[in-house]
Coordinates of all heavy atoms in Angstrom, one line a residue:
M6 N 129.2 116.8 95.7 CA 129.3 116.2 97.0 C 130.6 115.4 97.1 O 131.3 115.5 98.1 CB 128.1 115.2 97.1 CG 126.8 115.8 97.4 SD 125.5 114.5 97.5 CE 124.3 115.4 98.4
A7 N 130.9 114.6 96.0 CA 132.1 113.8 96.1 C 133.4 114.7 96.2 O 134.3 114.3 96.8 CB 132.2 112.9 94.9
R8 N 133.4 115.8 95.5 CA 134.5 116.6 95.5 C 134.9 117.2 96.8 O 136.0 117.5 97.2 CB 134.3 117.8 94.5 CG 134.4 117.4 93.1 CD 134.4 118.6 92.1 NE 133.9 118.1 90.9 CZ 132.9 118.6 90.3 NH1 132.2 119.6 90.8 NH2 132.5 118.2 89.1
R9 N 133.8 117.4 97.7 CA 134.1 117.9 99.0 C 134.7 117.0 99.9 O 135.2 117.3 101.0 CB 132.7 118.4 99.6 CG 132.2 119.6 98.7 CD 130.8 120.0 99.2 NE 130.9 120.9 100.3 CZ 129.9 121.4 100.9 NH1 128.7 121.0 100.7 NH2 130.0 122.2 101.9
G10 N 134.6 115.7 99.6 CA 135.3 114.7 100.4 C 134.6 114.4 101.8 O 135.2 113.9 102.7
R11 N 133.3 114.8 101.9 CA 132.6 114.5 103.1 C 131.1 114.4 102.7 O 130.7 114.7 101.6 CB 132.8 115.6 104.1 CG 132.4 116.9 103.7 CD 132.6 117.9 104.8 NE 132.0 119.2 104.4 CZ 132.6 120.3 104.5 NH1 133.8 120.4 104.9 NH2 131.9 121.4 104.2
R12 N 130.3 113.9 103.7 CA 128.9 113.8 103.4 C 128.3 115.1 103.3 O 128.6 116.1 104.0 CB 128.2 113.0 104.6 CG 128.7 111.6 104.6 CD 128.0 110.8 105.6 NE 128.5 109.4 105.5 CZ 128.6 108.6 106.5 NH1 128.3 109.0 107.7 NH2 129.0 107.4 106.3
S13 N 127.3 115.2 102.4 CA 126.6 116.5 102.2 C 125.1 116.3 102.0 O 124.7 115.2 101.7 CB 127.2 117.1 100.9 OG 128.5 117.4 101.0
L14 N 124.4 117.4 102.2 CA 123.0 117.4 101.9 C 122.7 118.7 101.1 O 123.1 119.7 101.5 CB 122.3 117.4 103.3 CG 120.8 117.5 103.2 CD1 120.2 116.1 102.9 CD2 120.2 117.9 104.5
L15 N 122.1 118.5 100.0 CA 121.7 119.7 99.2 C 120.3 120.0 99.4 O 119.4 119.2 99.3 CB 122.0 119.3 97.7 CG 123.4 118.9 97.3 CD1 123.4 118.5 95.9 CD2 124.3 120.0 97.6
V16 N 120.0 121.3 99.7 CA 118.7 121.8 99.9 C 118.1 122.2 98.6 O 118.8 123.0 97.9 CB 118.6 122.9 101.0 CG1 117.2 123.4 101.1 CG2 119.1 122.4 102.3
V17 N 116.9 121.8 98.2 CA 116.3 122.2 97.0 C 115.3 123.3 97.3 O 114.3 123.1 98.1 CB 115.6 121.0 96.3 CG1 115.0 121.5 95.0 CG2 116.6 119.9 96.1
G18 N 115.4 124.5 96.7 CA 114.5 125.6 96.9 C 115.2 126.8 97.4 O 116.4 126.9 97.2
T19 N 114.5 127.6 98.2 CA 115.1 128.8 98.8 C 114.9 128.7 100.3 O 114.2 127.8 100.8 CB 114.3 130.0 98.3 OG1 113.0 130.0 98.8 CG2 114.3 130.1 96.8
R20 N 115.5 129.6 101.0 CA 115.4 129.7 102.5 C 114.0 129.8 102.9 O 113.6 129.2 104.0 CB 116.1 130.9 103.1 CG 117.6 130.8 103.0 CD 118.3 131.9 103.8 NE 117.8 131.9 105.2 CZ 117.6 132.9 105.9 NH1 117.7 134.1 105.4 NH2 117.2 132.8 107.2
D21 N 113.1 130.4 102.1 CA 111.7 130.6 102.5 C 110.8 129.6 101.9 O 109.6 129.5 102.3 CB 111.3 132.0 102.1 CG 112.0 133.1 102.8 OD1 112.2 133.0 104.0 OD2 112.4 134.1 102.2
D22 N 111.3 128.8 101.0 CA 110.4 127.8 100.4 C 111.3 126.6 100.0 O 111.7 126.4 98.9 CB 109.8 128.4 99.1 CG 108.8 127.4 98.4 OD1 108.2 126.6 99.1 OD2 108.6 127.6 97.2
V23 N 111.5 125.7 101.0 CA 112.3 124.5 100.8 C 111.4 123.4 100.2 O 110.3 123.1 100.8 CB 112.9 124.0 102.1 CG1 113.6 122.7 101.9 CG2 113.9 125.1 102.7
E24 N 111.8 122.9 99.0 CA 111.0 121.9 98.3 C 111.4 120.5 98.7 O 110.6 119.6 98.7 CB 111.1 122.1 96.8 CG 110.6 123.4 96.4 CD 110.9 123.7 94.9 OE1 111.2 122.7 94.2 OE2 111.0 124.9 94.5
G25 N 112.6 120.3 99.0 CA 113.1 119.0 99.3 C 114.6 119.0 99.6 O 115.2 120.1 99.7
V26 N 115.2 117.8 99.8 CA 116.6 117.7 100.0 C 117.1 116.5 99.2 O 116.4 115.6 98.9 CB 117.0 117.5 101.5 CG1 116.7 118.7 102.3 CG2 116.4 116.3 102.0
V27 N 118.4 116.6 98.8 CA 119.1 115.4 98.1 C 120.2 115.0 98.9 O 121.1 115.9 99.2 CB 119.5 115.8 96.7 CG1 120.2 114.7 96.0 CG2 118.3 116.2 95.8
S28 N 120.3 113.8 99.4 CA 121.4 113.3 100.2 C 122.1 112.2 99.4 O 121.7 111.8 98.3 CB 120.8 112.6 101.5 OG 120.1 111.5 101.1
E29 N 123.2 111.7 99.9 CA 124.0 110.7 99.3 C 123.1 109.4 99.1 O 123.1 108.7 98.1 CB 125.1 110.3 100.2 CG 126.2 111.3 100.2 CD 127.3 111.0 101.3 OE1 127.0 110.4 102.3 OE2 128.4 111.4 101.0
R30 N 122.2 109.2 100.1 CA 121.3 108.1 100.0 C 120.4 108.1 98.8 O 120.1 107.2 98.2 CB 120.4 108.0 101.3 CG 121.1 107.5 102.5 CD 120.2 107.5 103.7 NE 120.4 106.4 104.6 CZ 119.7 106.2 105.6 NH1 118.6 106.9 105.9 NH2 119.9 105.2 106.4
D31 N 119.9 109.4 98.6 CA 119.0 109.6 97.4 C 119.7 109.3 96.1 O 119.2 108.7 95.2 CB 118.5 111.0 97.4 CG 117.6 111.3 98.6 OD1 116.8 110.5 98.9 OD2 117.7 112.4 99.1
I32 N 121.0 109.7 96.0 CA 121.8 109.4 94.8 C 122.1 107.9 94.7 O 121.9 107.4 93.6 CB 123.1 110.3 94.8 CG1 122.7 111.8 94.7 CG2 124.0 109.9 93.7 CD1 123.8 112.7 94.9
V33 N 122.5 107.3 95.7 CA 122.7 105.9 95.7 C 121.4 105.1 95.3 O 121.5 104.2 94.5 CB 123.3 105.3 97.0 CG1 123.2 103.8 97.1 CG2 124.6 105.9 97.3
R34 N 120.3 105.5 95.9 CA 119.0 104.9 95.5 C 118.7 105.1 94.0 O 118.3 104.1 93.3 CB 117.9 105.5 96.4 CG 116.7 104.6 96.5 CD 115.7 105.2 97.5 NE 116.2 105.2 98.8 CZ 116.3 106.3 99.6 NH1 116.0 107.5 99.1 NH2 116.8 106.3 100.8
A35 N 119.0 106.3 93.5 CA 118.7 106.5 92.1 C 119.6 105.6 91.2 O 119.2 105.1 90.2 CB 118.9 108.0 91.8
V36 N 120.9 105.5 91.6 CA 121.8 104.7 90.8 C 121.4 103.2 90.8 O 121.4 102.5 89.8 CB 123.3 104.8 91.3 CG1 124.2 103.8 90.7 CG2 123.8 106.2 91.0
A37 N 120.9 102.7 92.0 CA 120.4 101.4 92.1 C 119.2 101.2 91.3 O 119.0 100.1 90.8 CB 120.2 101.1 93.6
D38 N 118.4 102.2 91.1 CA 117.2 102.1 90.3 C 117.5 102.4 88.8 O 116.6 102.6 88.0 CB 116.1 103.1 90.8 CG 115.6 102.7 92.1 OD1 115.7 101.5 92.5 OD2 115.0 103.6 92.8
N39 N 118.8 102.5 88.4 CA 119.2 102.7 87.0 C 118.8 104.1 86.5 O 118.5 104.2 85.3 CB 118.8 101.6 86.1 CG 119.4 100.3 86.4 OD1 120.7 100.3 86.7 ND2 118.7 99.2 86.5
V40 N 118.7 105.1 87.3 CA 118.3 106.4 86.9 C 119.6 107.0 86.2 O 120.7 106.9 86.7 CB 117.9 107.3 88.1 CG1 117.7 108.7 87.7 CG2 116.6 106.8 88.7
D41 N 119.4 107.6 85.1 CA 120.5 108.3 84.4 C 120.7 109.6 85.0 O 119.9 110.6 84.8 CB 120.1 108.4 82.9 CG 121.2 109.1 82.1 OD1 122.2 109.5 82.7 OD2 121.1 109.2 80.8
L42 N 121.7 109.8 85.8 CA 121.9 111.0 86.5 C 122.4 112.2 85.6 O 122.3 113.3 86.0 CB 123.0 110.8 87.6 CG 122.7 109.8 88.7 CD1 123.8 109.6 89.7 CD2 121.4 110.1 89.4
D43 N 122.8 111.9 84.4 CA 123.1 112.9 83.5 C 121.9 113.6 82.9 O 121.9 114.8 82.5 CB 123.9 112.4 82.3 CG 125.3 112.0 82.7 OD1 125.9 112.6 83.6 OD2 125.9 111.1 82.0
T44 N 120.7 113.0 83.0 CA 119.5 113.6 82.4 C 118.4 113.7 83.5 O 117.4 114.5 83.2 CB 119.0 112.7 81.3 OG1 118.7 111.4 81.7 CG2 120.0 112.7 80.1
A45 N 118.5 113.1 84.6 CA 117.5 113.2 85.6 C 117.4 114.5 86.3 O 118.5 115.2 86.5 CB 117.7 112.1 86.7
S46 N 116.2 115.0 86.6 CA 116.1 116.2 87.4 C 116.3 116.0 88.9 O 116.1 114.9 89.3 CB 114.7 116.9 87.1 OG 113.7 116.0 87.7
V47 N 116.7 117.0 89.5 CA 116.8 116.9 91.0 C 115.5 116.5 91.6 O 115.4 115.7 92.5 CB 117.3 118.2 91.6 CG1 117.3 118.3 93.1 CG2 118.8 118.5 91.1
A48 N 114.4 117.1 91.1 CA 113.1 116.8 91.6 C 112.7 115.3 91.5 O 112.0 114.8 92.4 CB 112.0 117.6 90.9
S49 N 113.3 114.6 90.6 CA 113.0 113.2 90.4 C 113.7 112.3 91.5 O 113.2 111.2 91.7 CB 113.4 112.7 89.0 OG 114.8 112.7 88.9
I50 N 114.7 112.8 92.2 CA 115.3 112.0 93.2 C 115.3 112.6 94.6 O 115.7 112.0 95.5 CB 116.8 111.7 92.8 CG1 117.7 112.9 92.8 CG2 116.9 110.9 91.5 CD1 119.1 112.6 92.8
E51 N 114.8 113.8 94.7 CA 114.8 114.5 96.0 C 113.9 113.8 97.0 O 112.9 113.2 96.6 CB 114.5 116.0 95.9 CG 113.0 116.2 95.6 CD 112.7 117.7 95.4 OE1 113.5 118.5 95.3 OE2 111.5 118.0 95.4
S52 N 114.2 114.0 98.3 CA 113.3 113.6 99.3 C 112.4 114.8 99.7 O 113.0 115.8 100.0 CB 114.1 113.1 100.5 OG 114.9 112.0 100.2
D53 N 111.1 114.6 99.7 CA 110.3 115.7 100.1 C 109.6 115.5 101.4 O 108.8 116.4 101.8 CB 109.3 116.1 98.9 CG 108.4 114.9 98.6 OD1 108.5 113.8 99.3 OD2 107.6 115.0 97.6
H54 N 109.9 114.4 102.1 CA 109.4 114.2 103.4 C 110.4 114.9 104.4 O 111.5 114.3 104.6 CB 109.2 112.8 103.8 CG 108.8 112.5 105.2 ND1 107.5 112.8 105.6 CD2 109.4 112.0 106.2 CE1 107.4 112.5 106.9 NE2 108.6 112.0 107.3
L55 N 110.1 116.1 104.8 CA 111.1 116.9 105.6 C 110.7 117.0 107.0 O 109.5 117.2 107.3 CB 111.2 118.3 105.0 CG 111.5 118.4 103.5 CD1 111.5 119.8 103.0 CD2 112.9 117.7 103.2
L56 N 111.7 116.9 107.9 CA 111.4 117.2 109.3 C 112.0 118.6 109.6 O 113.1 118.9 109.2 CB 112.0 116.1 110.2 CG 111.4 114.8 110.2 CD1 112.1 113.9 111.2 CD2 109.9 114.9 110.6
W57 N 111.3 119.3 110.5 CA 111.7 120.6 110.9 C 111.8 120.7 112.4 O 111.0 120.1 113.1 CB 110.7 121.7 110.3 CG 110.7 121.9 108.9 CD1 110.0 121.2 108.0 CD2 111.5 122.8 108.1 NE1 110.3 121.6 106.7 CE2 111.2 122.6 106.8 CE3 112.4 123.8 108.5 CZ2 111.8 123.4 105.8 CZ3 113.0 124.6 107.5 CH2 112.6 124.4 106.2
A58 N 112.7 121.5 112.8 CA 112.8 121.9 114.2 C 113.1 123.4 114.2 O 113.4 124.0 113.2 CB 113.9 121.2 114.9
T59 N 112.9 124.0 115.4 CA 113.2 125.4 115.5 C 114.6 125.6 116.2 O 115.1 124.6 116.8 CB 112.2 126.2 116.4 OG1 112.3 125.7 117.7 CG2 110.8 126.0 115.8
I60 N 115.2 126.7 116.1 CA 116.5 126.9 116.7 C 116.5 126.8 118.2 O 117.5 126.7 118.9 CB 117.1 128.3 116.3 CG1 116.2 129.5 116.6 CG2 117.4 128.2 114.8 CD1 116.8 130.8 116.3
D61 N 115.3 126.9 118.8 CA 115.1 126.7 120.2 C 114.9 125.3 120.6 O 114.8 125.0 121.9 CB 113.9 127.6 120.7 CG 114.2 129.0 120.5 OD1 115.3 129.5 120.6 OD2 113.2 129.7 120.2
S62 N 114.8 124.3 119.7 CA 114.6 122.9 120.1 C 115.8 122.4 120.8 O 116.9 122.8 120.6 CB 114.4 122.1 118.8 OG 113.3 122.5 118.0
T63 N 115.5 121.5 121.7 CA 116.6 120.8 122.4 C 117.3 119.7 121.6 O 116.7 119.2 120.7 CB 116.2 120.2 123.8 OG1 115.3 119.1 123.5 CG2 115.4 121.2 124.6
I64 N 118.5 119.5 121.9 CA 119.2 118.4 121.2 C 118.5 117.1 121.4 O 118.3 116.3 120.5 CB 120.7 118.3 121.7 CG1 121.4 119.5 121.3 CG2 121.4 117.0 121.2 CD1 122.8 119.7 121.9
A65 N 118.0 116.8 122.6 CA 117.3 115.6 122.9 C 116.0 115.5 122.1 O 115.7 114.4 121.6 CB 116.9 115.5 124.4
D66 N 115.3 116.6 121.9 CA 114.0 116.6 121.1 C 114.4 116.3 119.6 O 113.7 115.5 119.0 CB 113.3 117.9 121.2 CG 112.6 118.1 122.5 OD1 112.4 117.0 123.2 OD2 112.3 119.2 122.9
V67 N 115.4 116.9 119.1 CA 115.8 116.7 117.7 C 116.3 115.2 117.5 O 115.9 114.6 116.5 CB 117.0 117.7 117.3 CG1 117.5 117.3 116.0 CG2 116.4 119.1 117.3
A68 N 117.0 114.7 118.4 CA 117.5 113.3 118.4 C 116.3 112.3 118.4 O 116.2 111.4 117.6 CB 118.4 113.0 119.5
A69 N 115.3 112.6 119.2 CA 114.1 111.8 119.3 C 113.3 111.8 118.0 O 112.8 110.8 117.6 CB 113.2 112.2 120.5
E70 N 113.2 113.0 117.4 CA 112.5 113.1 116.1 C 113.2 112.3 115.1 O 112.5 111.6 114.3 CB 112.5 114.5 115.7 CG 111.4 115.4 116.1 CD 110.0 114.9 115.8 OE1 109.6 114.7 114.6 OE2 109.2 114.8 116.7
M71 N 114.5 112.3 115.1 CA 115.3 111.5 114.1 C 115.0 110.1 114.3 O 114.8 109.3 113.3 CB 116.8 111.8 114.2 CG 117.2 113.1 113.6 SD 119.0 113.3 113.9 CE 119.3 114.8 113.0
M72 N 115.1 109.6 115.5 CA 114.9 108.2 115.8 C 113.4 107.8 115.4 O 113.2 106.8 114.8 CB 115.2 107.9 117.2 CG 116.6 108.1 117.6 SD 117.7 107.0 116.9 CE 117.3 105.5 117.8
E73 N 112.5 108.5 115.8 CA 111.1 108.2 115.6 C 110.7 108.1 114.1 O 109.9 107.3 113.7 CB 110.2 109.2 116.4 CG 108.7 109.0 116.3 CD 107.9 110.0 117.1 OE1 108.3 110.3 118.2 OE2 106.9 110.4 116.6
N74 N 111.3 109.0 113.4 CA 111.0 109.1 112.0 C 112.0 108.5 111.0 O 111.8 108.5 109.8 CB 110.8 110.6 111.5 CG 109.5 111.2 112.2 OD1 108.4 110.9 111.7 ND2 109.7 111.9 113.3
D75 N 113.0 107.9 111.6 CA 114.1 107.3 110.8 C 114.6 108.2 109.7 O 114.8 107.9 108.5 CB 113.7 106.0 110.2 CG 114.8 105.1 109.7 OD1 116.0 105.3 110.2 OD2 114.6 104.3 108.8
I76 N 114.8 109.5 110.1 CA 115.3 110.5 109.1 C 116.6 111.1 109.8 O 116.5 111.5 111.0 CB 114.3 111.6 108.9 CG1 113.2 111.0 108.0 CG2 114.9 112.8 108.2 CD1 112.1 111.9 107.6
R77 N 117.6 111.3 109.1 CA 118.9 111.7 109.6 C 119.0 113.2 109.7 O 119.4 113.8 110.7 CB 120.1 111.1 108.9 CG 120.1 109.6 109.1 CD 121.2 109.0 108.4 NE 121.1 107.5 108.6 CZ 122.1 106.7 108.5 NH1 123.3 107.2 108.3 NH2 121.9 105.4 108.7
P78 N 118.7 114.0 108.6 CA 118.8 115.4 108.7 C 117.5 116.0 109.1 O 116.4 115.6 108.7 CB 119.2 115.8 107.3 CG 118.5 114.8 106.4 CD 118.5 113.5 107.2
I79 N 117.6 117.0 109.9 CA 116.4 117.8 110.3 C 116.8 119.3 110.0 O 117.8 119.8 110.3 CB 116.1 117.7 111.8 CG1 115.6 116.3 112.1 CG2 115.0 118.7 112.2 CD1 115.0 116.1 113.5
L80 N 115.8 119.9 109.3 CA 116.0 121.3 108.9 C 115.6 122.2 110.1 O 114.7 121.9 110.8 CB 115.2 121.6 107.7 CG 115.4 120.7 106.5 CD1 114.5 121.0 105.4 CD2 116.9 120.8 106.0
L81 N 116.4 123.3 110.2 CA 116.1 124.3 111.3 C 115.4 125.5 110.7 O 115.9 126.1 109.7 CB 117.4 124.7 112.0 CG 118.1 123.6 112.8 CD1 119.3 124.1 113.4 CD2 117.1 123.1 113.9
R82 N 114.4 126.0 111.4 CA 113.7 127.2 111.1 C 114.1 128.3 112.1 O 114.3 128.0 113.2 CB 112.2 127.1 111.2 CG 111.6 126.2 110.2 CD 110.0 126.2 110.4 NE 109.4 125.1 109.9 CZ 108.8 125.1 108.7 NH1 108.8 126.2 108.0 NH2 108.2 124.0 108.3
D83 N 114.3 129.5 111.6 CA 114.5 130.6 112.5 C 113.1 131.2 112.9 O 112.1 130.6 112.6 CB 115.4 131.7 111.8 CG 114.8 132.4 110.6 OD1 113.5 132.3 110.4 OD2 115.5 133.1 109.9
E84 N 113.2 132.3 113.6 CA 111.9 132.9 114.1 C 110.9 133.4 113.1 O 109.7 133.5 113.3 CB 112.2 134.0 115.2 CG 113.0 135.1 114.6 CD 114.5 134.8 114.6 OE1 115.0 133.9 115.3 OE2 115.3 135.6 113.9
T85 N 111.4 133.5 111.9 CA 110.5 133.9 110.7 C 110.0 132.7 110.0 O 109.2 132.9 109.1 CB 111.3 134.8 109.8 OG1 112.3 134.1 109.0 CG2 111.9 136.1 110.5
G86 N 110.5 131.5 110.3 CA 110.1 130.3 109.6 C 111.0 129.9 108.5 O 110.7 129.0 107.8
A87 N 112.0 130.7 108.2 CA 112.9 130.4 107.1 C 114.0 129.4 107.5 O 114.4 129.4 108.7 CB 113.6 131.7 106.7
L88 N 114.5 128.7 106.5 CA 115.6 127.8 106.8 C 116.8 128.5 107.3 O 117.2 129.5 106.7 CB 116.0 127.1 105.5 CG 117.2 126.2 105.5 CD1 116.9 124.9 106.3 CD2 117.6 125.8 104.1
C89 N 117.4 128.0 108.4 CA 118.6 128.7 108.9 C 119.7 127.7 109.2 O 120.8 128.1 109.6 CB 118.3 129.5 110.2 SG 117.7 128.6 111.6
G90 N 119.4 126.4 109.0 CA 120.5 125.4 109.3 C 119.9 124.0 109.1 O 118.8 123.8 108.8
I91 N 120.9 123.1 109.3 CA 120.6 121.7 109.2 C 121.3 120.9 110.3 O 122.5 121.2 110.6 CB 121.1 121.1 107.8 CG1 120.4 121.8 106.6 CG2 120.8 119.6 107.7 CD1 121.1 121.5 105.3
V92 N 120.6 120.1 111.0 CA 121.2 119.2 112.0 C 121.2 117.8 111.4 O 120.2 117.2 111.0 CB 120.3 119.2 113.3 CG1 121.0 118.3 114.3 CG2 120.2 120.7 113.8
S93 N 122.4 117.2 111.5 CA 122.6 115.8 111.0 C 122.9 114.9 112.2 O 123.2 115.4 113.3 CB 123.7 115.7 110.0 OG 125.0 115.9 110.7
M94 N 122.8 113.7 112.0 CA 123.1 112.7 113.0 C 124.5 112.9 113.5 O 124.8 112.8 114.7 CB 122.8 111.3 112.5 CG 123.0 110.2 113.6 SD 121.8 110.3 114.9 CE 120.3 109.7 114.0
R95 N 125.4 113.1 112.6 CA 126.8 113.3 113.0 C 127.0 114.4 114.0 O 127.7 114.3 115.0 CB 127.6 113.5 111.7 CG 129.1 113.7 112.0 CD 129.9 113.9 110.7 NE 129.7 112.7 110.0 CZ 130.7 111.9 109.5 NH1 132.0 112.3 109.8 NH2 130.5 110.9 108.8
Y96 N 126.3 115.6 113.7 CA 126.5 116.7 114.6 C 125.8 116.4 115.9 O 126.4 116.9 116.9 CB 125.8 118.0 113.9 CG 126.5 118.5 112.7 CD1 125.8 118.7 111.6 CD2 127.9 118.6 112.7 CE1 126.5 119.2 110.4 CE2 128.6 119.1 111.6 CZ 127.9 119.3 110.4 OH 128.5 119.8 109.3
L97 N 124.8 115.7 115.9 CA 124.2 115.3 117.2 C 125.1 114.5 118.0 O 125.2 114.7 119.3 CB 122.8 114.6 117.0 CG 121.6 115.5 116.7 CD1 120.4 114.6 116.6 CD2 121.4 116.5 117.8
L98 N 125.7 113.5 117.4 CA 126.6 112.6 118.1 C 127.8 113.4 118.7 O 128.2 113.1 119.8 CB 127.2 111.5 117.2 CG 126.1 110.4 116.9 CD1 126.7 109.5 115.8 CD2 125.7 109.6 118.1
V99 N 128.3 114.3 117.9 CA 129.4 115.2 118.4 C 129.0 115.9 119.7 O 129.7 116.0 120.7 CB 129.9 116.1 117.4 CG1 130.8 117.2 117.9 CG2 130.6 115.4 116.3
E100 N 127.8 116.5 119.6 CA 127.3 117.3 120.8 C 127.0 116.4 122.0 O 127.4 116.7 123.1 CB 126.0 118.0 120.4 CG 126.2 119.2 119.6 CD 127.1 120.3 120.2 OE1 126.8 120.5 121.4 OE2 127.9 120.8 119.6
L101 N 126.4 115.2 121.7 CA 126.1 114.3 122.9 C 127.4 113.7 123.5 O 127.4 113.4 124.7 CB 125.2 113.2 122.4 CG 123.8 113.7 122.0 CD1 123.0 112.5 121.3 CD2 123.0 114.2 123.2
L102 N 128.4 113.5 122.7 CA 129.7 112.9 123.2 C 130.6 113.9 123.8 O 131.6 113.6 124.5 CB 130.4 112.1 122.1 CG 129.6 110.9 121.7 CD1 130.3 110.2 120.5 CD2 129.4 109.9 122.8
D103 N 130.4 115.2 123.6 CA 131.3 116.3 124.1 C 131.1 116.4 125.6 O 130.2 116.3 126.2 CB 130.9 117.6 123.4 CG 132.2 118.1 122.7 OD1 133.2 117.5 122.7 OD2 132.0 119.2 122.1

């Protein structure tokens, strides 16, 4: 994440079976809890409370879900139910301000 020079979200699992996500917040929280990142598993720090939207969801609906649940990334499902993208607060702001 740090090498990329921007905020990132790592999806844990496969397109058809997402188990969780790891964000910068999860890593910071683990460091604050003195978790040894050299030996800790991804499963031990991942967030498994996931919000989903479909590719047909409106920007307003996705933003409302984020606000209501205090969760920044929302995973997108395609028509088969598989992961096809991620919407972050930053992307929503860009769309709303455009």
Side-chain angles (χ1 to χ4, degrees):
M6 287 177 161
R8 286 188 206 124
R9 295 173 85 185
R11 60 180 190 228
R12 294 185 175 146
S13 298
L14 181 75
L15 302 174
V16 176
V17 180
T19 66
R20 286 188 62 218
D21 296 317
D22 185 25
V23 176
E24 298 170 21
V26 295
V27 176
S28 68
E29 292 171 327
R30 285 176 146 187
D31 297 316
I32 294 171
V33 168
R34 199 173 297 120
V36 169
D38 290 341
N39 294 316
V40 172
D41 182 356
L42 298 181
D43 288 330
T44 59
S46 68
V47 170
S49 70
I50 67 166
E51 74 182 10
S52 297
D53 58 5
H54 177 72
L55 306 174
L56 285 183
W57 290 88
T59 65
I60 56 175
D61 297 326
S62 298
T63 67
I64 292 171
D66 287 342
V67 170
E70 275 301 305
M71 285 180 174
M72 297 291 288
E73 185 177 316
N74 292 282
D75 194 27
I76 290 182
R77 295 178 185 208
I79 292 188
L80 305 174
L81 293 178
R82 294 182 198 263
D83 64 17
E84 56 280 343
T85 69
L88 174 70
C89 66
I91 302 168
V92 177
S93 70
M94 185 66 74
R95 178 178 299 239
Y96 293 130
L97 280 182
L98 287 173
V99 167
E100 285 299 316
L101 292 171
L102 294 174
D103 239 1

